[in-house]
Amino acid sequence: MKHTITLIPGDGIGPEVSAAVKKIISAAGVDIAWDEIAARAEIERRGLDFMQAGVLESIRKNKVALKGPLTTAVVGGPPSINVALRKALDLYANVRPVKNLEGVQSRFLGVDLVLIRENTEDLYSGLEHTVVPGVVESLKIITEKASTRIARFAFEFARKYGRKKIHAVHKANIMKLSDGLFLTCCRKVAEEYKDIEYKELIIDNACMQMVLNPHQFDMLVLTNLYGDIMSDLAAGLVGGLGVVPSGNMGETVAVFEAVHGTAPDIAGKDIANPTALLMSAILMLRHVNEVSAAKRMEDSLHTVYKEGKHLTRDVGGSASTTEFTETVIRTMKA
Ligand code: NAI
């Protein structure tokens, strides 16, 4: 079956890692017509704004996108395109599986958990203003609708993928109204899923528990900010952002992306590691029911890591992006 999928190559190392992933998907025999968005620099050279260059229309039409990293200025400048895309497409659930990749040095072995992060509200609503010079107010928005929706997503995900336990993570002891509402919604939804064990943890304790013993967790559901921080923390337990995937899911569309940034320090040098985008593409292929191709790619990636002879520098090897990509393809065909 032929798929049409939007590809946003992104900035910095984005075009290199997305070209590598395209090659591997094609070698796995998946028939994809890529609806490729031009590089941001090219769009801006034409005097257009990235969000006005047909990106949203393409994703809405194709329902699925693979996205490379996009640059965001740290202070000042326009708001993050990553956040804008999630908002415009209502990609309300950020799915972050965290699992060891044999061959990657890490603090723990046998970690296998999934974090579900609410992606649209909380302190990411972008509602900030200066009250008086020197005093800034930033609004934390928590709604019953979004909290119920993310809780339901987490429980449905658990059922679909055979997970057994969900921890809701919060700070309702301090933010009694906002995190309290999130918790109330999680409890209500949990009532409908008696087959899944439901637990609660305060965010600071959850962080400590995660670094002490990640094996106690199966799935976590979190509001936006806690989810952002804790999903990177969890990734750090298995080797970092270079070896974990992510998917941003809405009711009708899904955008899969690596969670690392544009890595401007190594862009254009053929040394970037495409693993995180490749793993995100594997999630994407499962989402579009290309299950056996996804498995072939995953098996090949695991073999290449286990052998450890053709890995990129960030994970202790010396291979180029090209060499790593060719090895994954060769292994898949062997
Ligand atoms: P970064 O992830 O780009 O880089 C941090 C370090 O990790 C650098 O040393 C970099 O070389 C290395 N690194 C990252 N990805 C790598 C890969 N695939 N292979 C090998 N090494 C890799 O984070 P940083 O420097 O904080 O952000 C740079 C830019 O990326 C910023 O403009 C930021 O806003 C943007 N960004 C975009 C994201 C997205 O589009 N989803 C996510 C995070 C950051």
Side-chain angles (χ1 to χ4, degrees):
M1 182 197 169
K2 190 168 180 137
H3 307 274
T4 306
I5 293 178
T6 303
L7 179 68
I8 304 170
D11 305 324
I13 58 169
E16 295 165 65
V17 291
S18 50
V21 170
K22 256 169 77 175
K23 251 194 210 166
I24 296 168
I25 292 178
S26 160
V30 187
D31 197 358
I32 297 181
W34 294 102
D35 190 359
E36 192 161 333
I37 307 297
R40 183 153 78 170
E42 173 55 31
I43 291 172
E44 286 173 356
R45 211 172 301 128
R46 285 188 238 138
L48 292 171
D49 178 68
F50 187 76
M51 292 293 278
Q52 254 79 61
V55 183
L56 293 175
E57 292 75 4
S58 169
I59 300 175
R60 283 193 185 114
K61 180 167 58 101
N62 301 324
K63 312 274 185 249
V64 182
L66 184 64
K67 177 189 157 298
L70 292 164
T71 308
T72 310
V74 176
V75 180
S80 158
I81 292 178
N82 298 309
V83 175
L85 273 177
R86 286 171 207 156
K87 275 195 188 154
L89 296 166
D90 198 20
L91 299 167
Y92 69 91
N94 182 227
V95 178
R96 295 279 295 268
V98 174
K99 200 173 170 181
N100 287 99
L101 184 55
E102 199 181 335
V104 175
Q105 279 214 336
S106 59
R107 290 182 185 275
F108 292 94
L109 292 177
V111 176
D112 181 6
L113 51 96
V114 181
L115 294 100
I116 307 288
R117 162 187 169 195
E118 204 290 322
N119 228 358
T120 62
E121 56 179 26
D122 193 6
L123 280 158
Y124 291 66
S125 306
L127 298 171
E128 291 190 318
H129 62 269
T130 301
V131 182
V132 290
V135 181
V136 169
E137 196 169 52
S138 189
L139 300 182
K140 172 172 168 122
I141 307 292
I142 299 289
T143 65
E144 185 178 357
K145 182 177 169 217
S147 302
T148 303
R149 185 164 71 160
I150 198 68
R152 194 171 298 290
F153 181 95
F155 279 95
E156 283 296 320
F157 187 99
R159 270 200 185 151
K160 183 169 174 193
Y161 293 100
R163 301 254 164 193
K164 302 276 174 255
K165 182 167 62 178
I166 296 181
H167 277 90
V169 178
H170 65 95
K171 190 79 187 173
N173 51 329
I174 304 297
M175 281 159 276
K176 292 179 191 291
L177 285 182
S178 53
D179 283 19
L181 176 59
F182 174 74
L183 215 49
T184 306
C185 296
C186 288
R187 285 177 188 171
K188 225 184 216 169
V189 173
E191 283 294 310
E192 297 171 36
Y193 296 81
K194 295 285 190 202
D195 49 322
I196 317 276
E197 189 184 351
Y198 172 71
K199 294 186 136 189
E200 293 169 355
L201 266 184
I202 295 177
I203 178 69
D204 37 347
N205 183 26
C207 290
M208 184 188 69
Q209 297 292 339
M210 181 67 87
V211 297
L212 279 177
N213 174 20
H215 304 109
Q216 66 185 294
F217 294 109
D218 187 3
M219 282 185 65
L220 296 94
V221 61
L222 312 96
T223 49
N224 208 342
L225 178 63
Y226 307 149
D228 192 3
I229 296 169
M230 221 172 155
S231 52
D232 279 18
L233 183 154
L237 303 174
V238 299
L241 297 186
V243 291
V244 290
S246 106
N248 294 292
M249 323 292 289
E251 296 292 354
T252 55
V253 300
V255 176
F256 296 84
E257 64 176 334
V259 280
H260 59 70
T262 57
D265 51 331
I266 58 165
K269 295 183 180 162
D270 195 29
I271 55 173
N273 186 353
T275 298
L277 192 64
L278 181 59
M279 290 175 120
S280 307
I282 290 169
L283 272 190
M284 178 189 83
L285 291 181
R286 293 212 161 95
H287 177 78
V288 299
N289 284 327
E290 289 287 354
V291 180
S292 71
K295 172 91 170 68
R296 279 199 303 284
M297 285 163 55
E298 194 170 57
D299 288 348
S300 162
L301 180 72
H302 287 187
T303 305
V304 171
Y305 267 88
K306 217 152 94 182
E307 289 175 356
K309 291 188 205 139
H310 302 279
L311 302 181
T312 49
R313 293 171 192 202
D314 54 306
V315 284
S318 57
S320 64
T321 312
T322 308
E323 188 186 335
F324 172 81
T325 307
E326 282 166 1
T327 309
V328 173
I329 292 173
R330 212 174 37 245
T331 309
M332 195 163 51
K333 291 190 165 164

